[in-house]
Structure formats: C-alpha cells, structure tokens
Amino acid sequence: MGQYQIIGENLSKMPWEDKPEGSVGPVWRHSENPVVKRNPAKGIARIFNSAVVAYGDGFIGVFRAETINGRPHLHMGTSEDGLNWTIDEQRIEFVNEQGEPFQPRYAYDPRLVKVEDSYYVIWCTDFYGAAIGVAKTDDFKTFVRLENPFLPFNRNGVLFPRKINGNFVMLSRPSDSGHTPFGDVFLSESPDFVYWGKHRHVMSKGGDGWWQSVKIGGGPAPIETSEGWLMFYHGVTGTCNGLVYSMGAVILDKDEPSKVKYRSSTYVLTPEEWYEERGFVDNVVFPCATLHDAATGRIAIYYGAADTYVGVAYTTVDEIINYVKETNEVVGDDHEIGIM
Amino acid sequence: MGQYQIIGENLSKMPWEDKPEGSVGPVWRHSENPVVKRNPAKGIARIFNSAVVAYGDGFIGVFRAETINGRPHLHMGTSEDGLNWTIDEQRIEFVNEQGEPFQPRYAYDPRLVKVEDSYYVIWCTDFYGAAIGVAKTDDFKTFVRLENPFLPFNRNGVLFPRKINGNFVMLSRPSDSGHTPFGDVFLSESPDFVYWGKHRHVMSKGGDGWWQSVKIGGGPAPIETSEGWLMFYHGVTGTCNGLVYSMGAVILDKDEPSKVKYRSSTYVLTPEEWYEERGFVDNVVFPCATLHDAATGRIAIYYGAADTYVGVAYTTVDEIINYVKETNEVVGDDHEIGIM
C-alpha cells in the first residue's frame, strides 16, 4: 500500500505504463498516444473530450464525435484494453422518460459516471443556449434523458460517483452564450435528479500563476481518496493568438466538497506534444475521464487533445496527491463553503 | 363585470385614475408621476425598480435604493395610499435559516410576491456573480434568506403568486457577467423552495418589431385572469447611444405557463416622459409590481423610470387583454412547452 488510498473498486485490467525515466511532472503520457486518431469511423472527422468506464469484460465509452458536417454528437465505443477503440458509426439514440425519441440538437464534452447501479451521461446540450444535458442508462442500449438540471448557460457538468449526504452532487461551470472569457466551478445537489439546489461556489479561476487565469472547468468524475475528492480539471489562459487549455488537480473536502482542501498552483499537464499543440483547436489538453485501481493506486486519465484526438496519461494517487500538496495554493476564499 | 376577469382578491383601496381623454395605448400614466422622487430618504440617492403589496390597512414595499455611495441595497417603505411613500433609512436586515445575519453584498430589482401566507422577496444578488436571491417574511420584520434557487448568472427572478400543479414556479432570465446583450425568459419549478428543476423556455427576445430585439425579462408577478397568466415584462432594444427599456405584455397558459398564448407585438409603455427619458440611466421603463382589484379589473403597475424614479401606470384587465390579442405575435416556438 502507498501513502494514500483510492477508495473504490479494483481494476487490474486498466491501461498502465510505469513512469518513464526522466519524466517531468506528476503525470506522464501513454507512449502510443493518441489512442483515438483522426477519421476513426465513417462520417466522423475527429474524436476528443470523451469519457470511458470499465464495463463487462472490457471498457465502454461515450465519445464526442465531430461529424464531417462539423456538428458534434455523441457516439458509443467499445474496447477490450481501454486503448484500442471501436467507435459506433451511428450516434447514440436518446429517448425521453416516455420512451419517445429525444435527440439533442448537438452534444459535446460528455462525462460518463456510474452511481449506484446506473450510468449517467452528462454533456453540453442545446437548451435554448448551451446547458447541461443528462441521460441515464443501465445497459448502454437505452439512454433515457432526464430533466436538464440547470438553466443555460452552463458547461462542464461533472457528477460525483456516489451520493454525498444522501444527495446526488454535480459540478458545473456557469458560462455565457459564446466562448466565455470567465468561469468558476460550482456545485449543486439533488435528492432525485429532477430538482437541483444548495448551489455552492467551489473553485475560482486565477491564483498567482497565469495558466488558469481566464477560466476553469471540472474534468473527470472526482476520485474518492483517503485525502478527499481528487479531481483533475482544466484551466485556461489567454494569449494574443487564442486560449491554451492545461490540466490541473485539486482535492475537495470529502463531506463538504464545495470546500477546496489543496489545489495545485501549477498545471499537471500542458500541451507539449504534436497531438496537443496542433489540431482543429491548437493547444488543448482537456481531461474528461479516469480509470483507477484501488489496489495499486494507479490512475489513467483520458483527455481530449487539440479538439482532435484522445490521449491517455498516467499517474498514481501518491504521486499526484503529494504533488498537489507540495504546490498547494488555494485561491481566494475557495476553502470556504461557497455561499453568499 | 367586464369581458375578462382577474382571479384574485378585491382591492378597492388601490391607487386609480381613469383613462384620460385622448390617451394613446392600453396603459396610461399616473398624473402625479413620479411617485418616488430623487433623494427620498437620508443616504438614498435614487429609488426605482421596486415592488409593493397591499398589507394591513395600507401598502408595503421593498425598494431598490441606490445609496449615495452608488451601491444598491433593499429598503422597506410604507404607504397609506400606495402613492405617498415613507422609505426606511435603514436597509432590510436579512438572516439565514439559522437566524444569523446574512446580508447580500448588493441587491437590486426586487420583486415582492405573496404565496399562501408568506411574502417572498426575490432580487438580483451577488453569488460569485449576478444571481437570484430569495428571502421569506411573514411579518416584514424578519426576512429569512432561502437557498439561492439558481446558479449564476441570472437576473429578473419573478415568482408566480400561487403554486401550479403543486409546485412553486419562478421565471428568470439567464444572463452573463456583464450588461448581457442577449436574454430570454425561462421558468423553473420547486416543490420546497430548496431544489429547483423542470426548467422550461418561456419567451424569446425578438419578433418582427425591434423594441424587444436585444433581450427581455420578467416584470411583476403574473396576474391570474380568465385568459391565463397576464404578465408585464420589459423588452430592450439597442441604439448607437445605449439600450432602451420598454414594457410589453404577454398571456401565458394557466396550467402550463411555459406556453405563450398571446403576446403583444408592440410595447405597451415606452420612455416618453421627462422622468423616463432622463436620469441615471436614460430611457428606461422597468415594471416590477402591480396592484389589482378583481371586482373592477383595475390594474396599477409600478415601474422604475430611468433608474432614478418610481412611476405608476394604469390599465384594466379588459383593456390590456384586448390589446394583447389584437397585437398578438407569438415569437418563434414560444407557444410550445419549451424543452430541448
């Protein structure tokens, strides 16, 4: 056992590579990145910002697929090893709670989270403006859309993998109707996935460094650890030639997750490789999912690269928590409960 | 009895003036406007965008008071006739549900709505960005803040005066972090005033005319009538020298108020008088409250004028409903339930 523990299931079959000699930083890339390349299925130009879970004997994913007409939709994919993916040519067909077809006009940046016995897909949907869409599936055959949890404008809905104090808990990033030159992470609770409330501010953009100076947004579902909820997120900085998206890490209080315990003052991964630097949108590292193994503390992070590819990166619970504590900078009053 | 009925209480003591000879349009101004003028109490520079109800033998109001340091707060006021107001020099002191002081950092554009036996104050508050704040009072002495119903950024929270299908119902206008150059009206439900959901789109900006081309926002609490929920709202147009705020009127479906039945294609009141044209913000007519009498169908509308004064205007349920039907233009798919 290491210094810190992942509280969750074992997943010995997850993708893994040990940290290479001379690796800089607490997160290292899969040697065969990107794991999903351009034109991965008929009619799909690019796949990125996507989410995976262990399912059955292998892995299943919900992918942001930029179709060749340029509009994003969600497609399922399957994999035996979590690295080689077969992507469905047909998009996921959603139904409403009456079982009638209820397709989002667009859908992007999905997260996929198991809570109790169900899987929840959370994505950015068109609800008279960008907002959070949610669907539930028990079998990856029928996807039932639930009530949109929040009013527009909102993006980056991230569900916690278990109820906290009896309620579902979702992070989100209130936005505007465009490319949103601001943005903090908030948290909301629901007893029933219909009505949401007890909204709290979690994390502010900013801090001493500039890599997360413009906006931030939640990433993969938080991982429960002995130190609290470990979450990877994206932080955005502005340049004269556009935005740059990096990956950060934060640890939230276990029982009151709107309180930040520790937060890395530096990025933990930033665009440096060819598939992160160049693509449909240059200079983007955008984490949306993790796989992790409680027995070994291993974590595999799935991230979108340059709005074009899917990359995988690795760390361990010890490596990342030690790094976050060493580089800790809690911004503003983010250690507080976040109500005003 | 007239052609249409207000469904509600009688209020014979409400302010009233008959329609003057030669009056243009369905809404006419009180002859002694503005009813609240500059410097109405010590330390308060201007009062506008404020809400009133009948209470006890007279009337009570919650006022947007721009203090002489330029920051808005909420002050109570009382009146025997609804026209001559005494404004409290001290701002309203809010407490949280534990009874501890919980003052908003700023507060503006209040609405004040009675539902069952309680009065709810809804305003724009600072919740790490502009958002809807809510407090409940039974006696206008203790004001208990409830959970903020929505994430930022949002303004113009308007509560319906009774539950519909067993739930509280609130309109709001999702916004951005600035002066918001866009905006439609949405509706949300709550069983308990803690958790909110079943969000629906109600009304779009736009239409054939330009007076509401930039954004719209709810106004006074909707009035229940024999034709549905009658609501006055504000519509905003843009000019080379800034925004112009006018008043419109809409009738929403009684049981499914996210459906628009009729909506006036023209404004029903627009800045024309000196106190509407010039002030801290020129060219603003911004309705926030009504008084109305079921017996006679009379309606008095309280509106902010030029972010400086409070004005009163009058109409009748017959006059306004006939006008809305005659000038009807339902924009886009606003007759639908408003989910996507």
Side-chain angles (χ1 to χ4, degrees):
Chain A
M1 292 290 273
Q3 190 178 358
Y4 302 111
Q5 282 75 51
I6 290 174
I7 298 167
E9 295 176 8
N10 295 338
L11 188 65
S12 60
K13 68 182 174 185
M14 63 175 269
W16 182 252
E17 291 180 354
D18 285 330
K19 187 170 187 174
E21 285 290 325
S23 174
V24 175
V27 173
W28 54 98
R29 293 169 180 85
H30 180 66
S31 57
E32 304 284 321
N33 266 353
V35 299
V36 183
K37 300 181 176 61
R38 283 183 185 267
N39 300 299
K42 188 179 172 189
I44 299 175
R46 294 165 281 113
I47 277 183
F48 53 100
N49 302 3
S50 299
V52 305
V53 292
Y55 187 74
D57 293 334
F59 301 91
I60 209 161
V62 172
F63 292 87
R64 171 176 175 162
E66 220 89 325
T67 51
I68 55 176
N69 76 359
R71 189 184 278 239
H73 293 285
L74 302 183
H75 287 238
M76 257 182 51
T78 52
S79 174
E80 289 183 11
D81 60 5
L83 296 169
N84 293 284
W85 288 91
T86 304
I87 307 293
D88 287 358
E89 286 179 14
Q90 301 303 314
R91 66 184 70 154
I92 293 173
E93 292 183 3
F94 294 93
V95 296
N96 66 17
E97 294 179 73
Q98 290 72 49
E100 301 155 348
F102 188 26
Q103 210 62 2
R105 291 153 46 122
Y106 59 68
Y108 62 82
D109 297 356
R111 274 71 167 184
L112 175 59
V113 185
K114 186 181 183 188
V115 184
E116 295 170 355
D117 294 325
S118 295
Y119 296 85
Y120 295 86
V121 186
I122 310 112
W123 70 91
C124 182
T125 203
D126 182 15
F127 177 35
Y128 301 85
I132 310 294
V134 178
K136 179 179 174 177
T137 184
D138 294 335
D139 56 10
F140 289 97
K141 293 184 178 113
T142 304
F143 291 82
V144 180
R145 287 183 65 180
L146 308 179
E147 287 285 347
N148 296 328
F150 312 122
L151 292 163
F153 301 85
N154 205 324
R155 295 187 180 94
N156 296 302
V158 178
L159 188 64
F160 279 71
R162 68 165 171 85
K163 292 180 178 174
I164 302 173
N165 303 318
N167 279 345
F168 293 99
V169 180
M170 198 187 294
L171 301 168
S172 71
R173 206 279 305 287
S175 302
D176 70 7
S177 61
H179 288 293
T180 313
F182 60 85
D184 289 359
V185 174
F186 288 69
L187 169 157
S188 308
E189 297 185 23
S190 175
D192 52 14
F193 239 100
V194 176
Y195 302 103
W196 293 82
K198 297 189 179 177
H199 309 291
R200 301 288 180 267
H201 181 268
V202 179
M203 290 168 66
S204 307
K205 70 185 173 73
D208 187 61
W210 285 2
W211 67 275
Q212 54 185 340
S213 60
V214 171
K215 57 183 171 180
I216 56 175
I223 300 170
E224 190 167 3
T225 76
S226 49
E227 285 296 289
W229 294 101
L230 166 65
M231 187 176 69
F232 300 96
Y233 67 97
H234 66 264
V236 184
T237 191
T239 76
C240 55
N241 284 344
L243 301 176
V244 176
Y245 284 68
S246 303
M247 189 192 309
V250 64
I251 298 170
L252 308 175
D253 185 85
K254 185 171 293 199
D255 298 316
E256 297 185 296
S258 68
K259 293 182 178 174
V260 172
K261 285 182 70 177
Y262 309 101
R263 176 174 169 185
S264 175
S265 58
T266 75
Y267 54 74
V268 300
L269 197 74
T270 199
E272 292 174 339
E273 295 292 334
W274 63 268
Y275 51 88
E276 299 160 351
E277 287 182 315
R278 295 301 307 269
F280 193 71
V281 180
D282 294 346
N283 286 318
V284 178
V285 159
F286 193 96
C288 283
T290 63
L291 297 172
H292 42 83
D293 177 30
T296 58
R298 292 172 175 172
I299 300 171
I301 307 164
Y302 288 76
Y303 66 98
D307 280 22
T308 303
Y309 311 100
V310 176
V312 172
Y314 302 107
T315 188
T316 67
V317 67
D318 283 355
E319 183 102 26
I320 193 69
I321 290 180
N322 277 319
Y323 186 87
V324 171
K325 286 189 170 186
E326 281 162 18
T327 60
N328 178 46
E329 178 197 8
V330 176
V331 179
D333 63 359
D334 290 354
H335 57 283
E336 292 181 1
I337 194 81
I339 183 71
M340 64 164 63
Chain B
M1 290 292 272
Q3 190 178 357
Y4 303 111
Q5 282 75 52
I6 291 175
I7 298 166
E9 295 177 7
N10 296 336
L11 189 64
S12 59
K13 67 181 175 184
M14 64 175 268
W16 182 251
E17 289 179 356
D18 285 331
K19 187 171 187 172
E21 287 288 327
S23 172
V24 174
V27 172
W28 54 96
R29 294 171 179 82
H30 180 67
S31 59
E32 305 284 322
N33 266 354
V35 299
V36 183
K37 299 178 178 63
R38 283 184 185 268
N39 300 301
K42 186 180 172 189
I44 299 175
R46 293 165 282 115
I47 276 182
F48 53 100
N49 303 3
S50 298
V52 306
V53 292
Y55 187 74
D57 294 334
F59 301 92
I60 209 160
V62 172
F63 293 87
R64 171 176 176 162
E66 220 89 325
T67 50
I68 54 175
N69 77 0
R71 189 184 277 239
H73 294 284
L74 302 183
H75 287 238
M76 259 181 50
T78 53
S79 173
E80 289 183 8
D81 60 5
L83 296 168
N84 294 283
W85 289 90
T86 304
I87 308 294
D88 287 358
E89 287 179 12
Q90 300 304 315
R91 66 185 70 153
I92 294 173
E93 291 182 4
F94 294 93
V95 297
N96 64 17
E97 294 178 74
Q98 289 73 49
E100 301 155 345
F102 188 27
Q103 210 63 2
R105 289 153 47 122
Y106 59 69
Y108 62 82
D109 296 356
R111 275 70 167 184
L112 175 59
V113 185
K114 186 182 183 187
V115 184
E116 295 170 356
D117 295 325
S118 295
Y119 296 86
Y120 294 85
V121 186
I122 310 112
W123 70 91
C124 182
T125 203
D126 183 15
F127 177 35
Y128 301 86
I132 310 293
V134 178
K136 180 179 176 178
T137 183
D138 295 334
D139 56 10
F140 289 97
K141 293 185 178 112
T142 304
F143 292 81
V144 180
R145 287 183 66 180
L146 308 179
E147 286 285 346
N148 296 328
F150 312 122
L151 292 163
F153 301 84
N154 206 324
R155 296 185 179 94
N156 296 300
V158 178
L159 188 64
F160 280 69
R162 68 165 170 85
K163 291 180 180 176
I164 301 174
N165 304 319
N167 279 346
F168 293 98
V169 180
M170 196 186 297
L171 301 169
S172 71
R173 206 279 305 287
S175 303
D176 70 6
S177 59
H179 288 293
T180 315
F182 60 84
D184 290 358
V185 175
F186 288 69
L187 169 157
S188 309
E189 298 186 20
S190 174
D192 52 15
F193 239 101
V194 177
Y195 302 103
W196 293 81
K198 297 189 178 177
H199 309 290
R200 299 288 180 267
H201 182 267
V202 179
M203 291 168 65
S204 306
K205 69 185 176 73
D208 187 61
W210 286 0
W211 68 275
Q212 53 185 344
S213 59
V214 171
K215 56 183 172 179
I216 56 175
I223 300 170
E224 190 167 5
T225 78
S226 50
E227 285 296 290
W229 294 101
L230 167 65
M231 187 176 69
F232 300 96
Y233 67 97
H234 66 264
V236 184
T237 192
T239 78
C240 56
N241 285 343
L243 301 175
V244 177
Y245 285 68
S246 302
M247 190 192 311
V250 64
I251 298 170
L252 308 176
D253 185 85
K254 186 171 294 198
D255 298 316
E256 296 185 295
S258 68
K259 293 182 178 174
V260 172
K261 286 182 68 178
Y262 310 101
R263 176 173 167 184
S264 175
S265 58
T266 74
Y267 54 74
V268 300
L269 198 74
T270 199
E272 293 174 339
E273 295 291 336
W274 63 268
Y275 50 89
E276 298 160 350
E277 288 183 314
R278 296 300 308 268
F280 193 71
V281 180
D282 294 347
N283 287 317
V284 178
V285 159
F286 194 96
C288 284
T290 64
L291 297 172
H292 41 84
D293 177 31
T296 59
R298 292 172 174 172
I299 300 170
I301 307 163
Y302 288 76
Y303 65 98
D307 280 21
T308 304
Y309 311 100
V310 177
V312 172
Y314 303 107
T315 188
T316 67
V317 68
D318 283 356
E319 184 101 26
I320 193 70
I321 289 179
N322 279 317
Y323 186 86
V324 171
K325 286 188 172 187
E326 283 162 15
T327 61
N328 179 44
E329 179 197 8
V330 176
V331 179
D333 63 359
D334 290 354
H335 57 284
E336 293 180 1
I337 194 80
I339 181 73
M340 66 165 62

